[in-house]
mmCIF file of all heavy atoms in Angstrom:
data_model
loop_
_atom_site.group_PDB
_atom_site.id
_atom_site.type_symbol
_atom_site.label_atom_id
_atom_site.label_comp_id
_atom_site.label_asym_id
_atom_site.label_seq_id
_atom_site.Cartn_x
_atom_site.Cartn_y
_atom_site.Cartn_z
ATOM 1 N N THR W 729 -1.333 3.782 7.579
ATOM 2 C CA THR W 729 -0.484 3.043 6.648
ATOM 3 C C THR W 729 0.868 2.745 7.279
ATOM 4 O O THR W 729 1.430 1.659 7.099
ATOM 5 C CB THR W 729 -0.301 3.823 5.340
ATOM 6 O OG1 THR W 729 -1.580 4.076 4.772
ATOM 7 C CG2 THR W 729 0.551 3.061 4.348
ATOM 8 N N LEU W 730 1.390 3.704 8.037
ATOM 9 C CA LEU W 730 2.641 3.472 8.757
ATOM 10 C C LEU W 730 2.471 2.338 9.775
ATOM 11 O O LEU W 730 3.356 1.493 9.931
ATOM 12 C CB LEU W 730 3.079 4.759 9.454
ATOM 13 C CG LEU W 730 4.413 4.715 10.196
ATOM 14 C CD1 LEU W 730 5.569 4.438 9.241
ATOM 15 C CD2 LEU W 730 4.649 6.025 10.945
ATOM 16 N N MET W 731 1.320 2.299 10.458
ATOM 17 C CA MET W 731 1.069 1.234 11.433
ATOM 18 C C MET W 731 1.052 -0.137 10.765
ATOM 19 O O MET W 731 1.492 -1.131 11.349
ATOM 20 C CB MET W 731 -0.258 1.492 12.151
ATOM 21 C CG MET W 731 -0.228 2.711 13.055
ATOM 22 S SD MET W 731 -1.851 3.148 13.722
ATOM 23 C CE MET W 731 -2.066 1.882 14.972
ATOM 24 N N LEU W 732 0.555 -0.203 9.541
ATOM 25 C CA LEU W 732 0.510 -1.480 8.829
ATOM 26 C C LEU W 732 1.904 -2.002 8.499
ATOM 27 O O LEU W 732 2.069 -3.194 8.214
ATOM 28 C CB LEU W 732 -0.304 -1.333 7.541
ATOM 29 C CG LEU W 732 -1.816 -1.199 7.709
ATOM 30 C CD1 LEU W 732 -2.464 -0.904 6.366
ATOM 31 C CD2 LEU W 732 -2.411 -2.460 8.320
ATOM 32 N N SER W 733 2.898 -1.110 8.548
ATOM 33 C CA SER W 733 4.266 -1.541 8.264
ATOM 34 C C SER W 733 4.915 -2.235 9.454
ATOM 35 O O SER W 733 5.981 -2.831 9.320
ATOM 36 C CB SER W 733 5.125 -0.331 7.844
ATOM 37 O OG SER W 733 5.386 0.517 8.960
ATOM 38 N N ALA W 734 4.282 -2.144 10.628
ATOM 39 C CA ALA W 734 4.833 -2.819 11.814
ATOM 40 C C ALA W 734 4.848 -4.324 11.592
ATOM 41 O O ALA W 734 3.882 -4.899 11.077
ATOM 42 C CB ALA W 734 4.012 -2.475 13.053
ATOM 43 N N SER W 735 5.926 -4.963 11.964
ATOM 44 C CA SER W 735 6.035 -6.414 11.809
ATOM 45 C C SER W 735 4.898 -7.123 12.537
ATOM 46 O O SER W 735 4.693 -6.917 13.728
ATOM 47 C CB SER W 735 7.377 -6.893 12.362
ATOM 48 O OG SER W 735 7.492 -8.288 12.266
ATOM 49 N N GLY W 736 4.132 -7.926 11.814
ATOM 50 C CA GLY W 736 3.035 -8.672 12.413
ATOM 51 C C GLY W 736 1.708 -7.956 12.403
ATOM 52 O O GLY W 736 0.680 -8.556 12.758
ATOM 53 N N ALA W 737 1.681 -6.673 12.000
ATOM 54 C CA ALA W 737 0.445 -5.891 12.089
ATOM 55 C C ALA W 737 -0.646 -6.443 11.175
ATOM 56 O O ALA W 737 -1.795 -6.623 11.598
ATOM 57 C CB ALA W 737 0.726 -4.430 11.760
ATOM 58 N N GLU W 738 -0.309 -6.710 9.927
ATOM 59 C CA GLU W 738 -1.325 -7.180 8.996
ATOM 60 C C GLU W 738 -1.860 -8.549 9.416
ATOM 61 O O GLU W 738 -3.062 -8.812 9.314
ATOM 62 C CB GLU W 738 -0.776 -7.214 7.570
ATOM 63 C CG GLU W 738 -0.496 -5.827 7.014
ATOM 64 C CD GLU W 738 -0.241 -5.851 5.514
ATOM 65 O OE1 GLU W 738 -0.310 -6.941 4.908
ATOM 66 O OE2 GLU W 738 0.019 -4.781 4.955
ATOM 67 N N ASP W 739 -0.988 -9.427 9.899
ATOM 68 C CA ASP W 739 -1.432 -10.743 10.359
ATOM 69 C C ASP W 739 -2.375 -10.609 11.556
ATOM 70 O O ASP W 739 -3.391 -11.319 11.657
ATOM 71 C CB ASP W 739 -0.240 -11.616 10.744
ATOM 72 C CG ASP W 739 0.569 -12.056 9.531
ATOM 73 O OD1 ASP W 739 0.043 -11.991 8.404
ATOM 74 O OD2 ASP W 739 1.740 -12.452 9.716
ATOM 75 N N ALA W 740 -2.042 -9.711 12.484
ATOM 76 C CA ALA W 740 -2.886 -9.519 13.668
ATOM 77 C C ALA W 740 -4.261 -8.996 13.279
ATOM 78 O O ALA W 740 -5.288 -9.454 13.811
ATOM 79 C CB ALA W 740 -2.210 -8.559 14.642
ATOM 80 N N LEU W 741 -4.300 -8.071 12.348
ATOM 81 C CA LEU W 741 -5.583 -7.516 11.905
ATOM 82 C C LEU W 741 -6.388 -8.554 11.129
ATOM 83 O O LEU W 741 -7.612 -8.641 11.274
ATOM 84 C CB LEU W 741 -5.357 -6.269 11.059
ATOM 85 C CG LEU W 741 -4.796 -5.061 11.816
ATOM 86 C CD1 LEU W 741 -4.349 -3.985 10.842
ATOM 87 C CD2 LEU W 741 -5.835 -4.494 12.786
ATOM 88 N N ASP W 742 -5.709 -9.349 10.318
ATOM 89 C CA ASP W 742 -6.409 -10.398 9.561
ATOM 90 C C ASP W 742 -7.053 -11.421 10.498
ATOM 91 O O ASP W 742 -8.147 -11.928 10.230
ATOM 92 C CB ASP W 742 -5.443 -11.108 8.614
ATOM 93 C CG ASP W 742 -5.062 -10.259 7.413
ATOM 94 O OD1 ASP W 742 -5.753 -9.250 7.148
ATOM 95 O OD2 ASP W 742 -4.051 -10.595 6.749
ATOM 96 N N ALA W 743 -6.351 -11.726 11.599
ATOM 97 C CA ALA W 743 -6.849 -12.746 12.532
ATOM 98 C C ALA W 743 -7.907 -12.207 13.487
ATOM 99 O O ALA W 743 -8.588 -12.993 14.160
ATOM 100 C CB ALA W 743 -5.681 -13.310 13.340
ATOM 101 N N ALA W 744 -8.068 -10.895 13.564
ATOM 102 C CA ALA W 744 -8.986 -10.283 14.531
ATOM 103 C C ALA W 744 -10.446 -10.475 14.120
ATOM 104 O O ALA W 744 -10.783 -10.473 12.933
ATOM 105 C CB ALA W 744 -8.684 -8.798 14.674
ATOM 106 N N ASP W 745 -11.292 -10.610 15.126
ATOM 107 C CA ASP W 745 -12.738 -10.536 14.906
ATOM 108 C C ASP W 745 -13.208 -9.092 15.041
ATOM 109 O O ASP W 745 -14.121 -8.669 14.333
ATOM 110 C CB ASP W 745 -13.470 -11.408 15.931
ATOM 111 C CG ASP W 745 -13.142 -12.884 15.780
ATOM 112 O OD1 ASP W 745 -13.470 -13.447 14.717
ATOM 113 O OD2 ASP W 745 -12.548 -13.459 16.709
ATOM 114 N N TRP W 746 -12.584 -8.364 15.977
ATOM 115 C CA TRP W 746 -12.930 -6.966 16.210
ATOM 116 C C TRP W 746 -11.664 -6.125 16.319
ATOM 117 O O TRP W 746 -10.664 -6.575 16.885
ATOM 118 C CB TRP W 746 -13.740 -6.800 17.508
ATOM 119 C CG TRP W 746 -15.061 -7.480 17.521
ATOM 120 C CD1 TRP W 746 -15.412 -8.600 18.218
ATOM 121 C CD2 TRP W 746 -16.240 -7.076 16.816
ATOM 122 N NE1 TRP W 746 -16.715 -8.926 17.992
ATOM 123 C CE2 TRP W 746 -17.256 -8.006 17.132
ATOM 124 C CE3 TRP W 746 -16.529 -6.026 15.941
ATOM 125 C CZ2 TRP W 746 -18.538 -7.919 16.609
ATOM 126 C CZ3 TRP W 746 -17.804 -5.940 15.421
ATOM 127 C CH2 TRP W 746 -18.799 -6.870 15.750
ATOM 128 N N VAL W 747 -11.734 -4.910 15.801
ATOM 129 C CA VAL W 747 -10.661 -3.929 15.945
ATOM 130 C C VAL W 747 -11.266 -2.755 16.712
ATOM 131 O O VAL W 747 -12.175 -2.080 16.218
ATOM 132 C CB VAL W 747 -10.126 -3.491 14.568
ATOM 133 C CG1 VAL W 747 -9.089 -2.382 14.724
ATOM 134 C CG2 VAL W 747 -9.515 -4.688 13.842
ATOM 135 N N VAL W 748 -10.772 -2.545 17.933
ATOM 136 C CA VAL W 748 -11.443 -1.660 18.888
ATOM 137 C C VAL W 748 -10.523 -0.523 19.309
ATOM 138 O O VAL W 748 -9.420 -0.766 19.827
ATOM 139 C CB VAL W 748 -11.886 -2.467 20.132
ATOM 140 C CG1 VAL W 748 -12.478 -1.555 21.193
ATOM 141 C CG2 VAL W 748 -12.880 -3.555 19.727
ATOM 142 N N PRO W 749 -10.933 0.723 19.109
ATOM 143 C CA PRO W 749 -10.102 1.852 19.556
ATOM 144 C C PRO W 749 -10.228 2.087 21.054
ATOM 145 O O PRO W 749 -11.264 1.794 21.658
ATOM 146 C CB PRO W 749 -10.710 3.037 18.782
ATOM 147 C CG PRO W 749 -12.163 2.669 18.650
ATOM 148 C CD PRO W 749 -12.180 1.167 18.464
ATOM 149 N N ILE W 750 -9.168 2.602 21.659
ATOM 150 C CA ILE W 750 -9.264 3.075 23.048
ATOM 151 C C ILE W 750 -10.201 4.281 23.042
ATOM 152 O O ILE W 750 -9.959 5.258 22.330
ATOM 153 C CB ILE W 750 -7.878 3.475 23.589
ATOM 154 C CG1 ILE W 750 -6.978 2.248 23.734
ATOM 155 C CG2 ILE W 750 -8.024 4.185 24.940
ATOM 156 C CD1 ILE W 750 -7.429 1.244 24.784
ATOM 157 N N PRO W 751 -11.299 4.220 23.795
ATOM 158 C CA PRO W 751 -12.279 5.311 23.723
ATOM 159 C C PRO W 751 -11.863 6.539 24.517
ATOM 160 O O PRO W 751 -11.102 6.446 25.486
ATOM 161 C CB PRO W 751 -13.534 4.672 24.320
ATOM 162 C CG PRO W 751 -13.017 3.635 25.265
ATOM 163 C CD PRO W 751 -11.735 3.113 24.668
ATOM 164 N N LEU W 752 -12.376 7.680 24.092
ATOM 165 C CA LEU W 752 -12.217 8.928 24.830
ATOM 166 C C LEU W 752 -13.460 9.194 25.663
ATOM 167 O O LEU W 752 -14.551 8.718 25.334
ATOM 168 C CB LEU W 752 -12.022 10.102 23.863
ATOM 169 C CG LEU W 752 -10.741 10.172 23.033
ATOM 170 C CD1 LEU W 752 -10.764 11.415 22.158
ATOM 171 C CD2 LEU W 752 -9.504 10.178 23.916
ATOM 172 N N SER W 753 -13.300 9.972 26.723
ATOM 173 C CA SER W 753 -14.468 10.395 27.490
ATOM 174 C C SER W 753 -15.291 11.385 26.661
ATOM 175 O O SER W 753 -14.791 11.971 25.685
ATOM 176 C CB SER W 753 -14.031 11.065 28.795
ATOM 177 O OG SER W 753 -13.381 12.292 28.511
ATOM 178 N N THR W 754 -16.532 11.570 27.050
ATOM 179 C CA THR W 754 -17.405 12.526 26.353
ATOM 180 C C THR W 754 -16.793 13.917 26.369
ATOM 181 O O THR W 754 -16.813 14.633 25.352
ATOM 182 C CB THR W 754 -18.795 12.548 27.015
ATOM 183 O OG1 THR W 754 -19.349 11.235 26.984
ATOM 184 C CG2 THR W 754 -19.724 13.501 26.282
ATOM 185 N N GLN W 755 -16.218 14.296 27.508
ATOM 186 C CA GLN W 755 -15.616 15.630 27.625
ATOM 187 C C GLN W 755 -14.414 15.775 26.701
ATOM 188 O O GLN W 755 -14.272 16.789 25.995
ATOM 189 C CB GLN W 755 -15.193 15.897 29.075
ATOM 190 C CG GLN W 755 -16.350 15.921 30.063
ATOM 191 C CD GLN W 755 -16.595 14.585 30.722
ATOM 192 O OE1 GLN W 755 -16.526 13.546 30.053
ATOM 193 N NE2 GLN W 755 -16.866 14.597 32.033
ATOM 194 N N ARG W 756 -13.534 14.776 26.692
ATOM 195 C CA ARG W 756 -12.336 14.850 25.858
ATOM 196 C C ARG W 756 -12.700 14.819 24.371
ATOM 197 O O ARG W 756 -12.094 15.515 23.557
ATOM 198 C CB ARG W 756 -11.410 13.692 26.202
ATOM 199 C CG ARG W 756 -9.976 13.818 25.720
ATOM 200 C CD ARG W 756 -9.205 14.911 26.453
ATOM 201 N NE ARG W 756 -9.233 14.750 27.875
ATOM 202 C CZ ARG W 756 -8.401 14.002 28.574
ATOM 203 N NH1 ARG W 756 -7.489 13.290 27.962
ATOM 204 N NH2 ARG W 756 -8.470 13.946 29.891
ATOM 205 N N LEU W 757 -13.715 14.020 24.036
ATOM 206 C CA LEU W 757 -14.155 13.946 22.647
ATOM 207 C C LEU W 757 -14.726 15.286 22.189
ATOM 208 O O LEU W 757 -14.473 15.731 21.059
ATOM 209 C CB LEU W 757 -15.206 12.843 22.498
ATOM 210 C CG LEU W 757 -15.693 12.537 21.083
ATOM 211 C CD1 LEU W 757 -14.534 12.094 20.197
ATOM 212 C CD2 LEU W 757 -16.774 11.465 21.126
ATOM 213 N N ALA W 758 -15.462 15.962 23.066
ATOM 214 C CA ALA W 758 -16.031 17.269 22.714
ATOM 215 C C ALA W 758 -14.927 18.297 22.517
ATOM 216 O O ALA W 758 -15.000 19.147 21.612
ATOM 217 C CB ALA W 758 -16.998 17.720 23.802
ATOM 218 N N GLN W 759 -13.890 18.238 23.331
ATOM 219 C CA GLN W 759 -12.777 19.181 23.205
ATOM 220 C C GLN W 759 -12.002 18.955 21.916
ATOM 221 O O GLN W 759 -11.638 19.902 21.220
ATOM 222 C CB GLN W 759 -11.829 19.035 24.399
ATOM 223 C CG GLN W 759 -12.418 19.477 25.730
ATOM 224 C CD GLN W 759 -11.537 19.083 26.899
ATOM 225 O OE1 GLN W 759 -10.500 18.416 26.736
ATOM 226 N NE2 GLN W 759 -11.932 19.463 28.099
ATOM 227 N N ARG W 760 -11.740 17.684 21.590
ATOM 228 C CA ARG W 760 -10.878 17.350 20.460
ATOM 229 C C ARG W 760 -11.635 17.313 19.142
ATOM 230 O O ARG W 760 -11.074 17.590 18.079
ATOM 231 C CB ARG W 760 -10.197 16.008 20.733
ATOM 232 C CG ARG W 760 -9.017 15.728 19.846
ATOM 233 C CD ARG W 760 -8.199 14.584 20.419
ATOM 234 N NE ARG W 760 -7.627 14.938 21.710
ATOM 235 C CZ ARG W 760 -7.074 14.079 22.552
ATOM 236 N NH1 ARG W 760 -7.039 12.797 22.242
ATOM 237 N NH2 ARG W 760 -6.558 14.483 23.694
ATOM 238 N N GLY W 761 -12.898 16.925 19.196
ATOM 239 C CA GLY W 761 -13.703 16.854 17.985
ATOM 240 C C GLY W 761 -13.750 15.481 17.347
ATOM 241 O O GLY W 761 -14.632 15.184 16.556
ATOM 242 N N TYR W 762 -12.814 14.625 17.671
ATOM 243 C CA TYR W 762 -12.778 13.253 17.170
ATOM 244 C C TYR W 762 -11.822 12.444 18.037
ATOM 245 O O TYR W 762 -10.957 12.994 18.713
ATOM 246 C CB TYR W 762 -12.322 13.192 15.698
ATOM 247 C CG TYR W 762 -10.996 13.883 15.422
ATOM 248 C CD1 TYR W 762 -9.784 13.210 15.555
ATOM 249 C CD2 TYR W 762 -10.960 15.226 15.044
ATOM 250 C CE1 TYR W 762 -8.575 13.846 15.318
ATOM 251 C CE2 TYR W 762 -9.759 15.870 14.808
ATOM 252 C CZ TYR W 762 -8.565 15.180 14.936
ATOM 253 O OH TYR W 762 -7.380 15.808 14.705
ATOM 254 N N ASN W 763 -12.014 11.127 18.001
ATOM 255 C CA ASN W 763 -11.121 10.214 18.707
ATOM 256 C C ASN W 763 -10.062 9.745 17.727
ATOM 257 O O ASN W 763 -10.361 9.044 16.758
ATOM 258 C CB ASN W 763 -11.919 9.021 19.254
ATOM 259 C CG ASN W 763 -11.040 8.009 19.977
ATOM 260 O OD1 ASN W 763 -9.818 8.108 19.978
ATOM 261 N ND2 ASN W 763 -11.669 7.011 20.577
ATOM 262 N N GLN W 764 -8.823 10.112 17.962
ATOM 263 C CA GLN W 764 -7.744 9.784 17.034
ATOM 264 C C GLN W 764 -7.578 8.269 16.878
ATOM 265 O O GLN W 764 -7.243 7.777 15.791
ATOM 266 C CB GLN W 764 -6.424 10.437 17.459
ATOM 267 C CG GLN W 764 -5.757 9.859 18.680
ATOM 268 C CD GLN W 764 -6.386 10.330 19.978
ATOM 269 O OE1 GLN W 764 -7.264 11.204 19.992
ATOM 270 N NE2 GLN W 764 -5.933 9.777 21.095
ATOM 271 N N SER W 765 -7.832 7.510 17.950
ATOM 272 C CA SER W 765 -7.699 6.055 17.862
ATOM 273 C C SER W 765 -8.796 5.450 16.977
ATOM 274 O O SER W 765 -8.558 4.476 16.254
ATOM 275 C CB SER W 765 -7.759 5.440 19.263
ATOM 276 O OG SER W 765 -6.670 5.907 20.044
ATOM 277 N N TRP W 766 -9.987 6.014 17.027
ATOM 278 C CA TRP W 766 -11.072 5.552 16.152
ATOM 279 C C TRP W 766 -10.766 5.898 14.697
ATOM 280 O O TRP W 766 -11.012 5.095 13.790
ATOM 281 C CB TRP W 766 -12.387 6.160 16.597
ATOM 282 C CG TRP W 766 -13.549 5.953 15.656
ATOM 283 C CD1 TRP W 766 -14.343 6.918 15.132
ATOM 284 C CD2 TRP W 766 -14.061 4.707 15.158
ATOM 285 N NE1 TRP W 766 -15.312 6.358 14.334
ATOM 286 C CE2 TRP W 766 -15.160 4.996 14.332
ATOM 287 C CE3 TRP W 766 -13.674 3.380 15.331
ATOM 288 C CZ2 TRP W 766 -15.890 4.012 13.663
ATOM 289 C CZ3 TRP W 766 -14.399 2.386 14.668
ATOM 290 C CH2 TRP W 766 -15.480 2.704 13.854
ATOM 291 N N GLN W 767 -10.183 7.070 14.468
ATOM 292 C CA GLN W 767 -9.802 7.442 13.098
ATOM 293 C C GLN W 767 -8.821 6.417 12.534
ATOM 294 O O GLN W 767 -8.937 6.002 11.377
ATOM 295 C CB GLN W 767 -9.163 8.835 13.093
ATOM 296 C CG GLN W 767 -10.074 9.980 13.508
ATOM 297 C CD GLN W 767 -11.215 10.177 12.537
ATOM 298 O OE1 GLN W 767 -12.388 10.121 12.905
ATOM 299 N NE2 GLN W 767 -10.890 10.404 11.278
ATOM 300 N N LEU W 768 -7.862 6.005 13.344
ATOM 301 C CA LEU W 768 -6.881 5.020 12.891
ATOM 302 C C LEU W 768 -7.530 3.651 12.688
ATOM 303 O O LEU W 768 -7.260 2.969 11.700
ATOM 304 C CB LEU W 768 -5.746 4.914 13.912
ATOM 305 C CG LEU W 768 -4.864 6.155 14.073
ATOM 306 C CD1 LEU W 768 -3.935 5.995 15.269
ATOM 307 C CD2 LEU W 768 -4.059 6.427 12.809
ATOM 308 N N ALA W 769 -8.385 3.245 13.623
ATOM 309 C CA ALA W 769 -9.022 1.929 13.529
ATOM 310 C C ALA W 769 -9.845 1.804 12.250
ATOM 311 O O ALA W 769 -9.823 0.759 11.581
ATOM 312 C CB ALA W 769 -9.903 1.693 14.756
ATOM 313 N N LYS W 770 -10.571 2.866 11.893
ATOM 314 C CA LYS W 770 -11.381 2.839 10.671
ATOM 315 C C LYS W 770 -10.525 2.664 9.435
ATOM 316 O O LYS W 770 -10.919 2.003 8.477
ATOM 317 C CB LYS W 770 -12.200 4.130 10.546
ATOM 318 C CG LYS W 770 -13.339 4.250 11.522
ATOM 319 C CD LYS W 770 -14.218 5.437 11.187
ATOM 320 C CE LYS W 770 -13.477 6.760 11.357
ATOM 321 N NZ LYS W 770 -14.355 7.923 11.072
ATOM 322 N N GLN W 771 -9.358 3.285 9.450
ATOM 323 C CA GLN W 771 -8.449 3.165 8.313
ATOM 324 C C GLN W 771 -7.809 1.782 8.259
ATOM 325 O O GLN W 771 -7.620 1.217 7.179
ATOM 326 C CB GLN W 771 -7.356 4.232 8.404
ATOM 327 C CG GLN W 771 -7.837 5.659 8.217
ATOM 328 C CD GLN W 771 -8.142 5.982 6.759
ATOM 329 O OE1 GLN W 771 -7.679 5.299 5.851
ATOM 330 N NE2 GLN W 771 -8.924 7.023 6.541
#
Side-chain angles (χ1 to χ4, degrees):
T729 302
L730 183 63
M731 292 172 75
L732 287 174
S733 72
S735 178
E738 292 192 1
D739 289 342
L741 292 169
D742 287 344
D745 296 297
W746 297 108
V747 175
V748 175
I750 292 294
L752 292 180
S753 67
T754 302
Q755 297 94 319
R756 196 69 55 86
L757 185 60
Q759 292 170 357
R760 196 165 296 167
Y762 54 88
N763 179 353
Q764 72 281 353
S765 297
W766 170 234
Q767 296 295 122
L768 294 171
K770 288 189 295 182
Q771 292 285 341

